Amino acid sequence: MKKFFLFLSLILIFFSGCAGPEKKLLGTWKLDGKEFYFTFLNHEDLNVNNEIFMKYSITDDGKIILGEEEPVAFELKDDTITIKQEGLNITLTRVKKPEFKILTQPDF
């Protein structure tokens, strides 16, 4: 019985470290060189500068869809996201402690 629990514990530890891109995206990201912030929230909600609220999703082939836009390739590496669209690379850097309150829904 102890071996079973040890095995189960090892499996849970292994899979907890294998978070998909959806979990790694969560948080606030700043557009390099601009005061423009993207906050990826749970339930595929996206907040841009506390002004624009939309949905985002990751396709089965690993592309990202922001709002109503077409899917585009992206790469998530450490604290950097690179979105690649028609010869244009957009780089976002993780903001560990945003200096502003992040709204989880529009403030009407």
Side-chain angles (χ1 to χ4, degrees), residues 37-83:
Y37 297 90
F38 291 77
T39 302
F40 293 90
L41 303 162
N42 285 322
H43 309 295
E44 297 184 335
D45 290 321
L46 175 60
N47 166 341
V48 182
N49 281 4
N50 277 341
E51 296 174 7
I52 301 169
F53 296 85
M54 65 181 81
K55 292 289 189 179
Y56 74 93
S57 60
I58 307 295
T59 63
D60 290 339
D61 62 349
K63 293 183 178 181
I64 190 166
I65 301 172
L66 303 174
E68 302 283 325
E69 298 295 323
E70 294 292 320
V72 293
F74 80 105
E75 181 180 332
L76 177 59
K77 188 172 185 180
D78 299 323
D79 287 338
T80 303
I81 299 172
T82 304
I83 299 173

Short mmCIF file of all heavy atoms in Angstrom, two decimals, residues 37-83:
data_model
loop_
_atom_site.label_atom_id
_atom_site.label_comp_id
_atom_site.label_asym_id
_atom_site.label_seq_id
_atom_site.Cartn_x
_atom_site.Cartn_y
_atom_site.Cartn_z
N TYR A 37 0.04 47.12 -21.36
CA TYR A 37 0.05 45.91 -20.54
C TYR A 37 -1.04 44.94 -20.96
O TYR A 37 -2.19 45.33 -21.19
CB TYR A 37 -0.14 46.27 -19.07
CG TYR A 37 0.98 47.11 -18.53
CD1 TYR A 37 0.92 48.50 -18.59
CD2 TYR A 37 2.11 46.53 -17.98
CE1 TYR A 37 1.96 49.28 -18.10
CE2 TYR A 37 3.15 47.30 -17.49
CZ TYR A 37 3.06 48.68 -17.55
OH TYR A 37 4.09 49.44 -17.08
N PHE A 38 -0.69 43.66 -21.03
CA PHE A 38 -1.62 42.57 -21.29
C PHE A 38 -1.69 41.74 -20.01
O PHE A 38 -0.65 41.28 -19.53
CB PHE A 38 -1.12 41.66 -22.41
CG PHE A 38 -1.14 42.30 -23.77
CD1 PHE A 38 -0.17 43.21 -24.16
CD2 PHE A 38 -2.12 41.96 -24.67
CE1 PHE A 38 -0.18 43.78 -25.42
CE2 PHE A 38 -2.15 42.53 -25.93
CZ PHE A 38 -1.18 43.44 -26.31
N THR A 39 -2.89 41.53 -19.47
CA THR A 39 -3.04 40.67 -18.30
C THR A 39 -3.90 39.48 -18.70
O THR A 39 -5.08 39.63 -19.02
CB THR A 39 -3.68 41.43 -17.12
OG1 THR A 39 -2.85 42.54 -16.80
CG2 THR A 39 -3.77 40.51 -15.90
N PHE A 40 -3.28 38.31 -18.71
CA PHE A 40 -3.97 37.06 -19.02
C PHE A 40 -4.52 36.51 -17.71
O PHE A 40 -3.76 36.26 -16.77
CB PHE A 40 -3.01 36.06 -19.67
CG PHE A 40 -2.54 36.49 -21.03
CD1 PHE A 40 -1.39 37.25 -21.18
CD2 PHE A 40 -3.25 36.12 -22.17
CE1 PHE A 40 -0.95 37.65 -22.44
CE2 PHE A 40 -2.81 36.51 -23.44
CZ PHE A 40 -1.66 37.27 -23.57
N LEU A 41 -5.83 36.34 -17.65
CA LEU A 41 -6.52 35.89 -16.45
C LEU A 41 -7.07 34.48 -16.66
O LEU A 41 -7.09 33.97 -17.78
CB LEU A 41 -7.67 36.85 -16.12
CG LEU A 41 -7.26 38.32 -15.95
CD1 LEU A 41 -8.47 39.23 -16.08
CD2 LEU A 41 -6.59 38.51 -14.61
N ASN A 42 -7.54 33.87 -15.58
CA ASN A 42 -8.20 32.57 -15.69
C ASN A 42 -9.42 32.66 -16.60
O ASN A 42 -9.94 33.74 -16.85
CB ASN A 42 -8.64 32.09 -14.31
CG ASN A 42 -7.48 31.60 -13.49
OD1 ASN A 42 -6.56 30.98 -14.00
ND2 ASN A 42 -7.49 31.90 -12.21
N HIS A 43 -9.87 31.54 -17.08
CA HIS A 43 -11.05 31.42 -17.93
C HIS A 43 -10.87 32.14 -19.27
O HIS A 43 -11.82 32.65 -19.85
CB HIS A 43 -12.31 31.94 -17.21
CG HIS A 43 -12.50 31.34 -15.87
ND1 HIS A 43 -12.75 29.99 -15.68
CD2 HIS A 43 -12.41 31.87 -14.64
CE1 HIS A 43 -12.84 29.74 -14.39
NE2 HIS A 43 -12.63 30.86 -13.73
N GLU A 44 -9.61 32.24 -19.71
CA GLU A 44 -9.27 32.80 -21.02
C GLU A 44 -9.74 34.25 -21.18
O GLU A 44 -10.12 34.68 -22.25
CB GLU A 44 -9.80 31.92 -22.14
CG GLU A 44 -9.17 30.53 -22.14
CD GLU A 44 -9.60 29.66 -23.29
OE1 GLU A 44 -10.70 29.87 -23.83
OE2 GLU A 44 -8.84 28.76 -23.65
N ASP A 45 -9.70 35.01 -20.09
CA ASP A 45 -10.00 36.44 -20.15
C ASP A 45 -8.70 37.21 -20.32
O ASP A 45 -7.69 36.89 -19.70
CB ASP A 45 -10.70 36.91 -18.86
CG ASP A 45 -12.10 36.36 -18.74
OD1 ASP A 45 -12.80 36.30 -19.77
OD2 ASP A 45 -12.51 36.00 -17.62
N LEU A 46 -8.75 38.24 -21.15
CA LEU A 46 -7.59 39.08 -21.40
C LEU A 46 -7.97 40.52 -21.13
O LEU A 46 -9.00 41.01 -21.59
CB LEU A 46 -7.13 38.92 -22.86
CG LEU A 46 -5.98 39.83 -23.32
CD1 LEU A 46 -4.72 39.60 -22.50
CD2 LEU A 46 -5.70 39.59 -24.80
N ASN A 47 -7.14 41.21 -20.37
CA ASN A 47 -7.33 42.60 -20.01
C ASN A 47 -6.15 43.37 -20.61
O ASN A 47 -5.00 43.03 -20.36
CB ASN A 47 -7.34 42.69 -18.49
CG ASN A 47 -7.20 44.09 -17.93
OD1 ASN A 47 -6.75 45.01 -18.59
ND2 ASN A 47 -7.55 44.23 -16.67
N VAL A 48 -6.45 44.39 -21.41
CA VAL A 48 -5.39 45.22 -22.00
C VAL A 48 -5.50 46.62 -21.40
O VAL A 48 -6.50 47.31 -21.62
CB VAL A 48 -5.50 45.27 -23.54
CG1 VAL A 48 -4.36 46.10 -24.13
CG2 VAL A 48 -5.50 43.86 -24.13
N ASN A 49 -4.49 47.00 -20.61
CA ASN A 49 -4.43 48.32 -19.98
C ASN A 49 -5.66 48.68 -19.16
O ASN A 49 -6.01 49.85 -19.03
CB ASN A 49 -4.19 49.42 -21.01
CG ASN A 49 -2.74 49.50 -21.41
OD1 ASN A 49 -1.91 48.71 -20.99
ND2 ASN A 49 -2.42 50.47 -22.23
N ASN A 50 -6.36 47.70 -18.60
CA ASN A 50 -7.58 47.92 -17.82
C ASN A 50 -8.64 48.67 -18.63
O ASN A 50 -9.57 49.25 -18.07
CB ASN A 50 -7.28 48.70 -16.54
CG ASN A 50 -6.80 47.81 -15.42
OD1 ASN A 50 -6.99 46.61 -15.43
ND2 ASN A 50 -6.16 48.40 -14.44
N GLU A 51 -8.54 48.65 -19.95
CA GLU A 51 -9.47 49.36 -20.81
C GLU A 51 -10.17 48.45 -21.81
O GLU A 51 -11.31 48.69 -22.19
CB GLU A 51 -8.75 50.48 -21.58
CG GLU A 51 -8.20 51.55 -20.68
CD GLU A 51 -7.36 52.57 -21.44
OE1 GLU A 51 -7.33 52.53 -22.69
OE2 GLU A 51 -6.73 53.40 -20.77
N ILE A 52 -9.47 47.45 -22.28
CA ILE A 52 -10.02 46.54 -23.28
C ILE A 52 -10.10 45.15 -22.65
O ILE A 52 -9.12 44.66 -22.10
CB ILE A 52 -9.12 46.49 -24.54
CG1 ILE A 52 -8.99 47.89 -25.14
CG2 ILE A 52 -9.68 45.50 -25.56
CD1 ILE A 52 -7.92 47.99 -26.20
N PHE A 53 -11.28 44.54 -22.72
CA PHE A 53 -11.47 43.21 -22.17
C PHE A 53 -11.95 42.30 -23.29
O PHE A 53 -12.85 42.65 -24.04
CB PHE A 53 -12.50 43.24 -21.03
CG PHE A 53 -12.04 44.06 -19.87
CD1 PHE A 53 -12.22 45.43 -19.84
CD2 PHE A 53 -11.39 43.46 -18.81
CE1 PHE A 53 -11.77 46.19 -18.77
CE2 PHE A 53 -10.94 44.20 -17.73
CZ PHE A 53 -11.14 45.57 -17.71
N MET A 54 -11.29 41.16 -23.42
CA MET A 54 -11.63 40.22 -24.48
C MET A 54 -11.27 38.81 -24.03
O MET A 54 -10.72 38.61 -22.95
CB MET A 54 -10.91 40.58 -25.77
CG MET A 54 -9.39 40.46 -25.68
SD MET A 54 -8.51 40.92 -27.19
CE MET A 54 -8.48 42.69 -27.03
N LYS A 55 -11.53 37.86 -24.86
CA LYS A 55 -11.16 36.47 -24.63
C LYS A 55 -9.89 36.15 -25.42
O LYS A 55 -9.59 36.81 -26.42
CB LYS A 55 -12.27 35.52 -25.07
CG LYS A 55 -13.53 35.60 -24.23
CD LYS A 55 -13.28 35.01 -22.88
CE LYS A 55 -14.57 34.88 -22.09
NZ LYS A 55 -14.31 34.28 -20.78
N TYR A 56 -9.16 35.17 -24.93
CA TYR A 56 -8.03 34.64 -25.70
C TYR A 56 -8.11 33.13 -25.63
O TYR A 56 -8.79 32.57 -24.75
CB TYR A 56 -6.69 35.14 -25.14
CG TYR A 56 -6.27 34.49 -23.84
CD1 TYR A 56 -5.46 33.37 -23.84
CD2 TYR A 56 -6.70 35.00 -22.62
CE1 TYR A 56 -5.10 32.76 -22.64
CE2 TYR A 56 -6.34 34.40 -21.44
CZ TYR A 56 -5.54 33.28 -21.45
OH TYR A 56 -5.19 32.68 -20.26
N SER A 57 -7.46 32.47 -26.54
CA SER A 57 -7.42 31.01 -26.50
C SER A 57 -6.17 30.51 -27.22
O SER A 57 -5.56 31.24 -28.01
CB SER A 57 -8.68 30.39 -27.13
OG SER A 57 -8.79 30.78 -28.47
N ILE A 58 -5.81 29.29 -26.90
CA ILE A 58 -4.68 28.62 -27.54
C ILE A 58 -5.26 27.51 -28.41
O ILE A 58 -6.06 26.69 -27.95
CB ILE A 58 -3.72 28.00 -26.49
CG1 ILE A 58 -3.27 29.03 -25.46
CG2 ILE A 58 -2.53 27.33 -27.18
CD1 ILE A 58 -2.46 30.16 -26.00
N THR A 59 -4.87 27.47 -29.67
CA THR A 59 -5.37 26.45 -30.59
C THR A 59 -4.63 25.14 -30.37
O THR A 59 -3.58 25.10 -29.73
CB THR A 59 -5.21 26.90 -32.06
OG1 THR A 59 -3.81 27.05 -32.33
CG2 THR A 59 -5.94 28.22 -32.31
N ASP A 60 -5.17 24.07 -30.93
CA ASP A 60 -4.54 22.76 -30.81
C ASP A 60 -3.15 22.72 -31.45
O ASP A 60 -2.31 21.94 -31.04
CB ASP A 60 -5.42 21.67 -31.46
CG ASP A 60 -6.69 21.42 -30.65
OD1 ASP A 60 -6.70 21.74 -29.44
OD2 ASP A 60 -7.66 20.91 -31.23
N ASP A 61 -2.93 23.57 -32.45
CA ASP A 61 -1.62 23.59 -33.10
C ASP A 61 -0.67 24.62 -32.47
O ASP A 61 0.36 24.96 -33.04
CB ASP A 61 -1.74 23.78 -34.61
CG ASP A 61 -2.38 25.10 -35.00
OD1 ASP A 61 -2.93 25.80 -34.12
OD2 ASP A 61 -2.36 25.43 -36.20
N GLY A 62 -1.03 25.14 -31.28
CA GLY A 62 -0.12 25.99 -30.52
C GLY A 62 -0.08 27.45 -30.90
O GLY A 62 0.88 28.15 -30.63
N LYS A 63 -1.14 27.94 -31.53
CA LYS A 63 -1.22 29.36 -31.87
C LYS A 63 -2.12 30.06 -30.86
O LYS A 63 -2.88 29.42 -30.14
CB LYS A 63 -1.75 29.55 -33.29
CG LYS A 63 -0.79 29.03 -34.33
CD LYS A 63 -1.29 29.27 -35.73
CE LYS A 63 -0.25 28.77 -36.73
NZ LYS A 63 -0.67 29.01 -38.10
N ILE A 64 -2.02 31.39 -30.81
CA ILE A 64 -2.85 32.15 -29.88
C ILE A 64 -3.85 33.00 -30.66
O ILE A 64 -3.53 33.52 -31.73
CB ILE A 64 -1.98 33.02 -28.95
CG1 ILE A 64 -2.82 33.62 -27.83
CG2 ILE A 64 -1.23 34.09 -29.73
CD1 ILE A 64 -2.00 34.21 -26.70
N ILE A 65 -5.06 33.08 -30.12
CA ILE A 65 -6.10 33.92 -30.68
C ILE A 65 -6.42 34.98 -29.64
O ILE A 65 -6.78 34.66 -28.51
CB ILE A 65 -7.38 33.12 -31.02
CG1 ILE A 65 -7.07 32.01 -32.01
CG2 ILE A 65 -8.48 34.04 -31.54
CD1 ILE A 65 -8.22 31.04 -32.24
N LEU A 66 -6.26 36.24 -30.01
CA LEU A 66 -6.57 37.36 -29.13
C LEU A 66 -7.86 38.01 -29.61
O LEU A 66 -7.89 38.60 -30.69
CB LEU A 66 -5.43 38.38 -29.12
CG LEU A 66 -4.06 37.85 -28.71
CD1 LEU A 66 -2.99 38.92 -28.87
CD2 LEU A 66 -4.08 37.34 -27.27
N GLY A 67 -8.91 37.87 -28.83
CA GLY A 67 -10.20 38.44 -29.21
C GLY A 67 -10.74 37.80 -30.46
O GLY A 67 -10.82 36.59 -30.57
N GLU A 68 -11.06 38.64 -31.44
CA GLU A 68 -11.64 38.18 -32.71
C GLU A 68 -10.59 38.02 -33.81
O GLU A 68 -10.93 37.78 -34.96
CB GLU A 68 -12.70 39.19 -33.18
CG GLU A 68 -13.82 39.42 -32.19
CD GLU A 68 -14.83 38.30 -32.16
OE1 GLU A 68 -15.10 37.72 -33.23
OE2 GLU A 68 -15.33 38.00 -31.07
N GLU A 69 -9.32 38.18 -33.46
CA GLU A 69 -8.24 38.13 -34.46
C GLU A 69 -7.99 36.71 -34.94
O GLU A 69 -8.43 35.74 -34.32
CB GLU A 69 -6.95 38.71 -33.86
CG GLU A 69 -7.04 40.16 -33.47
CD GLU A 69 -7.25 41.09 -34.65
OE1 GLU A 69 -6.68 40.85 -35.72
OE2 GLU A 69 -8.00 42.06 -34.48
N GLU A 70 -7.26 36.59 -36.01
CA GLU A 70 -6.86 35.29 -36.56
C GLU A 70 -5.80 34.68 -35.65
O GLU A 70 -5.03 35.40 -35.01
CB GLU A 70 -6.30 35.46 -37.97
CG GLU A 70 -7.31 35.93 -38.98
CD GLU A 70 -8.37 34.89 -39.27
OE1 GLU A 70 -8.04 33.70 -39.36
OE2 GLU A 70 -9.55 35.29 -39.38
N PRO A 71 -5.70 33.35 -35.60
CA PRO A 71 -4.64 32.72 -34.82
C PRO A 71 -3.26 33.11 -35.34
O PRO A 71 -3.05 33.21 -36.54
CB PRO A 71 -4.87 31.22 -35.03
CG PRO A 71 -6.24 31.09 -35.58
CD PRO A 71 -6.56 32.38 -36.27
N VAL A 72 -2.33 33.36 -34.42
CA VAL A 72 -0.95 33.69 -34.79
C VAL A 72 0.00 32.85 -33.96
O VAL A 72 -0.30 32.43 -32.85
CB VAL A 72 -0.63 35.19 -34.60
CG1 VAL A 72 -1.42 36.05 -35.56
CG2 VAL A 72 -0.88 35.65 -33.18
N ALA A 73 1.18 32.63 -34.52
CA ALA A 73 2.21 31.86 -33.82
C ALA A 73 2.74 32.67 -32.65
O ALA A 73 2.82 33.90 -32.72
CB ALA A 73 3.34 31.51 -34.79
N PHE A 74 3.09 31.97 -31.58
CA PHE A 74 3.74 32.64 -30.46
C PHE A 74 4.69 31.67 -29.78
O PHE A 74 4.57 30.46 -29.91
CB PHE A 74 2.70 33.19 -29.46
CG PHE A 74 2.13 32.18 -28.51
CD1 PHE A 74 2.54 32.15 -27.19
CD2 PHE A 74 1.19 31.26 -28.93
CE1 PHE A 74 2.02 31.22 -26.31
CE2 PHE A 74 0.66 30.32 -28.05
CZ PHE A 74 1.08 30.31 -26.74
N GLU A 75 5.65 32.25 -29.08
CA GLU A 75 6.63 31.45 -28.35
C GLU A 75 6.70 32.01 -26.93
O GLU A 75 6.83 33.21 -26.72
CB GLU A 75 8.00 31.57 -29.02
CG GLU A 75 9.07 30.76 -28.33
CD GLU A 75 10.41 30.90 -29.04
OE1 GLU A 75 10.43 31.15 -30.25
OE2 GLU A 75 11.43 30.76 -28.35
N LEU A 76 6.58 31.12 -25.97
CA LEU A 76 6.65 31.48 -24.56
C LEU A 76 7.92 30.87 -23.99
O LEU A 76 8.08 29.66 -23.97
CB LEU A 76 5.42 30.95 -23.83
CG LEU A 76 5.31 31.16 -22.34
CD1 LEU A 76 5.35 32.63 -22.00
CD2 LEU A 76 4.03 30.55 -21.83
N LYS A 77 8.85 31.73 -23.59
CA LYS A 77 10.12 31.26 -23.07
C LYS A 77 10.47 32.07 -21.84
O LYS A 77 10.63 33.29 -21.92
CB LYS A 77 11.21 31.40 -24.14
CG LYS A 77 12.51 30.77 -23.76
CD LYS A 77 13.47 30.77 -24.93
CE LYS A 77 14.72 30.01 -24.56
NZ LYS A 77 15.67 30.00 -25.64
N ASP A 78 10.54 31.40 -20.70
CA ASP A 78 10.82 32.04 -19.42
C ASP A 78 9.85 33.19 -19.19
O ASP A 78 8.66 32.97 -19.09
CB ASP A 78 12.28 32.49 -19.33
CG ASP A 78 13.25 31.33 -19.45
OD1 ASP A 78 12.95 30.24 -18.92
OD2 ASP A 78 14.30 31.50 -20.09
N ASP A 79 10.34 34.41 -19.12
CA ASP A 79 9.51 35.58 -18.85
C ASP A 79 9.30 36.44 -20.10
O ASP A 79 9.15 37.66 -20.01
CB ASP A 79 10.13 36.43 -17.73
CG ASP A 79 9.99 35.76 -16.37
OD1 ASP A 79 9.09 34.91 -16.21
OD2 ASP A 79 10.76 36.07 -15.46
N THR A 80 9.29 35.79 -21.27
CA THR A 80 9.12 36.51 -22.52
C THR A 80 8.14 35.77 -23.43
O THR A 80 8.20 34.56 -23.55
CB THR A 80 10.48 36.64 -23.26
OG1 THR A 80 11.40 37.29 -22.40
CG2 THR A 80 10.33 37.45 -24.53
N ILE A 81 7.25 36.54 -24.03
CA ILE A 81 6.35 36.01 -25.06
C ILE A 81 6.70 36.74 -26.35
O ILE A 81 6.79 37.97 -26.37
CB ILE A 81 4.87 36.29 -24.74
CG1 ILE A 81 4.43 35.65 -23.43
CG2 ILE A 81 3.97 35.81 -25.89
CD1 ILE A 81 3.03 36.07 -23.00
N THR A 82 6.88 35.98 -27.42
CA THR A 82 7.08 36.58 -28.73
C THR A 82 5.91 36.15 -29.60
O THR A 82 5.67 34.96 -29.79
CB THR A 82 8.41 36.13 -29.36
OG1 THR A 82 9.48 36.44 -28.46
CG2 THR A 82 8.65 36.82 -30.68
N ILE A 83 5.17 37.14 -30.09
CA ILE A 83 4.04 36.88 -30.99
C ILE A 83 4.52 37.21 -32.39
O ILE A 83 5.02 38.30 -32.65
CB ILE A 83 2.82 37.73 -30.59
CG1 ILE A 83 2.38 37.37 -29.17
CG2 ILE A 83 1.68 37.52 -31.59
CD1 ILE A 83 1.30 38.26 -28.61
#
